[in-house]
Amino acid sequence: MEYPEKSLRVLHLEEPGLEFGFKQVTAHPKDGLHLYGPYKRPKRTREIRLGVIGTNKGLDHFRTWANAIRGVVSVPEPGPREKKDRLHLATFPGLEEALSITFNDDATTFHSISESELEQATLIINHHEAVSKTASLYANVAISHLANDERTVDVWLLVVPEIVYERCRPLSKRTGLTLVPGGFKKKQKARVSMPLFGDSLDEPGEHVFDDTPDFHRHIKASFLGIAPTQVLRETTLAPEAFLNTKGYPVRKTQDRATKAWNVATGLYYKTQADPPWRLANIREGVCYIGLVFKDLPNDKNKHACCAAQMFLREGDGVVFRGANGPWKTNDYEHHLTRSEASNLIKQVLDAYREEHGTPKELFIHGRTKFNDEEWAAFENAVPAETNIVGVRITTGKGENKLFRDGDYPVLRGTALIQDERNALLWSTGYIPQLDTYIGPETPNPLSITILRSKANRMPKIEDVLEDILGLTKINYNSCNFNDGLPVTVRFANMVGDILTMGSAKSVKKQPFKFYV
Amino acid sequence: MTIDAAIPTPALPEPRDILFISKATPGDDDFALWLAPRLEAAGFKVFADILNLTGGDIWRRVVTNTLQAKSVKMLLCCSDDTLGRQGVLEEIDIACQVSKDIKDETFIIPLRLKPYKKIFGIANLNYVNFVPSWADGLDSLLETLKRRGIRPNPDSIQINPNWELYRKRLSIKLLPEPERLTSNWLRVAEAPDAIHYFEPVGSIDRDLMYEQCAQLSFPNEPWAHGFFALTSLEEVNRSFSGLVTFKLAASIGLDEFQKNGSEYLGIRGQDASNKLMSMLRRAWIKMCEEKGLIRYEYSGSTGFHIGEQQAGIGKQISWGRQGERHRSMLRNVARGHVWQYGVTATPNFWPFPHFKLKSRVLFASYVDDKMGDVLGDPQKQHKLRRSVCKGWRNKQWHGRLRAFLELMCGESSYIRIPVGHETFIKLDPSPVLFTSPVSTYLPDEEDGDAEEADETTLGRPDPEEEED
């Protein structure tokens, strides 16, 4: 049998516009902030209150760096092999100049932690215990501050030396180091199982095994009830202070201007009521939800945690925690029961209604499919006038490529329409405005599928793609032209990872900014 | 006609209401682009030479006229570099004359961007200090303007879009012209009409039959009492050497089978599709093995790579049509290892029958100018892939894929994947083309084996792995 040649429709989606100060719209956050300042810019500069925790050296690095970002931070001259005009890089005009916020050293709370104590904590023989102890050294400072100091802190900045980064991640090897004894043996990774005693015997200190040994997650989980955080590596703040034997920085970091843009944007997002920019042209009454599932570590019942991240046009994000339960149905899928699916959506709707009334459309973004039971619950949970749409968004690993006949790859915004429910969307690619492609190798598309919609009120695939492209522009944790993933999916894993931590057990609803 | 109408009305002089920014281009661009929209947002009219992107003589006249006839103040960016510019000095001369003409000694307001040496014309003027902070400088400037009676008009706030256009002046324009895009999909041009289900005549040990099936030279998939294959009954019976005789129990159209399965045989669409894809995958694997490509098991899939048999280290392979010839390498040495390009092929029937070719790169040791063993450690393979290939771009990956396909099909018009003795799946070796409705100017200057020179464009690791 011969198969005829076939082709598919290709679209190009316009770059979504972002709204900044003075109601001005532009596509690039750096342009928008430089020219107009943040959306909902305050009339007067707002002073933010920082709490900084680090070793004495770390605090010094922070002070130097903080002083620098209060002025202009220029892009370094291009190297001999680099393009003359690097449009993806931009001079940072200063924290107050770009974002209308500032801080001063007198109002900043500095807390020093002992370098040797930190060193000893990272060397504790049991990795869970080591990471927990290290994170506690930082968290306890903030907890103590909260209890004893009347000065409010808007955001905690945790300056970490490389030993913390190297030794306090899940797969840190710590080979060649002289480890020190602690309360547990080296290989213990879970609470001691004593079936005779059931849950009645709680070994002291065993809570460390309820958490994944990851400093970053520990910090985010520990601070959920305190304030948003920003973890800063000393090598990020002062790469020139950490040189190898040949005199080069031990770690390649971004240029100083880019780092200033990213951290400053994060600081604004984490300290202000409104984000620094918002999407300019998103349909009214639309709400996006990212569904998150994560298996609870060492849970004897093999339960998983579920959560919903809600995002609106304004960029506000809120994380709602659902119940823990037997949601994992196979190696790759999680599904909620009818009642839990209904509860989770109701929480989201209630929060949406408080500010915006009834949504017209509610999109659920996730990486997996929905089963009939949970979908029926989702549909029943929303009012008649609200359409609910399930969209699966997955990332490719090289299965689908499009090449151009020249040096640069396919344009960001290119969409290959496979049918009325399925498309491939290049959310990364060549950006004409920047005259480059940012990323390694060649871009991979997102694979988008409209799985279900209420009573078959199927949205147009073009609208779904436009929305997703828009959601790649509201990752306020940096100041990039775009992210490769929509914000509904980008942080799903991380939010799940934090919620499964023992120290995050009691959290129900919290702004998204606490998680990133 | 009334008497009033008979008297010609004298032309009113244009109001002087513009704040003229005198600056060095491009040295003061960032500052001017920060200051100008903020002054406009406060209700002032602002002008700077960068509002017109093209420049030229006519534009110089506009600049001069604006300064001479329409400006209420000149905001002079001051640093030694700026004050050394000929254009700025000329504007200072004109401004000094305007200052006399309109009897405004403070017509020029110096904005101190960096410490500067005093020059003729502005030596005695008080500056507004922007050195400690632009934001503080702006506050002082607004205060200075207020003190000097320059009132904003908050009822007609207009932010000139040209500030943004200037900032984007080096951007590449999107053109409403179609552009060819080449995919990594190979169209199935021809396939057997039907998939056949063979059942043994008489009783047979099923496990033994399944074992035998695994040894057959053509792809097949056991199911219930028999198996599926794409070849003929004769070949099936020949393959079992007369030990067992099979009969053709059912033939189902290929498209129908992969979509809906077979009710008669009790196989659902998804299972049928999986079985068909598995057969096609194995047919591809067998073909690649017969061509002598290097096999490597990746997590969950098999890759085939160009080896010494197909191309020497550093050899460039020609590909492309006449008049459009290109050359790309499929094997070379980098970071003390030999890399070898290859692909993993995945058959698909949706949205039309095709094979997707995922590019792979396999690393082997390099000793005494010769290739050694393929590295067995997947983590080391991954690490080398991340470092050696991250600078390969559109042209390099595209070229290597096309060169690989050139070697795969040789002189033939198709890549023929045997699924039986005389039965083939034929793939069109030219990747499926799509057409984008837009394009841009696209340089085509890089070498087919070059690497990205600007590391700042290579992005960062996934943010989830990074700090935040």
Side-chain angles (χ1 to χ4, degrees), chain A residues 147-161:
Chain A
N148 304 315
D149 200 319
E150 62 181 16
R151 288 175 296 173
T152 310
V153 169
D154 297 324
V155 59
W156 284 97
L157 305 178
L158 313 182
V159 183
V160 296

Side-chain angles (χ1 to χ4, degrees), chain A residues 1 3 26 31 34 88 97 231 236 254 397 400-401 403-407 432-433 439 441 477 490, chain B residues 30 34 38 135 164 167 171-172 179-180 182 187 189 191 193 358 385 393-394 440 443 456-457 464 468:
Chain A
M1 177 171 51
Y3 289 96
T26 186
D31 285 353
H34 186 110
H88 58 291
E97 287 72 13
V231 178
T236 303
Q254 294 174 300
K397 289 186 175 172
N400 298 294
K401 294 282 185 186
F403 300 108
R404 296 176 80 195
D405 294 336
D407 296 341
Q433 184 170 337
E441 306 187 17
N477 217 23
R490 162 58 71 202
Chain B
D30 282 331
W34 179 84
R38 282 162 179 79
E164 189 196 347
R167 198 164 159 94
S171 296
I172 299 300
E179 181 183 313
R180 178 175 71 180
T182 306
R187 179 178 68 91
D193 292 344
K358 174 176 174 168
R385 164 69 199 259
R393 292 302 204 183
N394 180 73
T440 63
T456 63
T457 65
E464 289 193 29
D468 44 74

Side-chain angles (χ1 to χ4, degrees), chain B residues 39-72:
Chain B
L39 289 172
E40 287 178 335
F44 295 101
K45 286 186 186 170
V46 184
F47 182 93
D49 58 355
I50 54 174
L51 280 176
N52 182 300
L53 307 180
T54 50
D57 288 345
I58 296 173
W59 178 243
R60 282 305 304 169
R61 283 203 289 277
V62 172
V63 172
T64 307
N65 180 258
T66 305
L67 181 55
Q68 285 176 329
K70 299 178 185 172
S71 297
V72 65

Side-chain angles (χ1 to χ4, degrees), chain A residues 130-166:
Chain A
V131 176
S132 179
K133 179 79 193 292
T134 306
S136 301
L137 289 176
Y138 284 88
N140 288 344
V141 170
I143 291 165
S144 166
H145 178 93
L146 202 61
N148 304 315
D149 200 319
E150 62 181 16
R151 288 175 296 173
T152 310
V153 169
D154 297 324
V155 59
W156 284 97
L157 305 178
L158 313 182
V159 183
V160 296
E162 283 305 278
I163 54 165
V164 173
Y165 184 77
E166 285 161 6

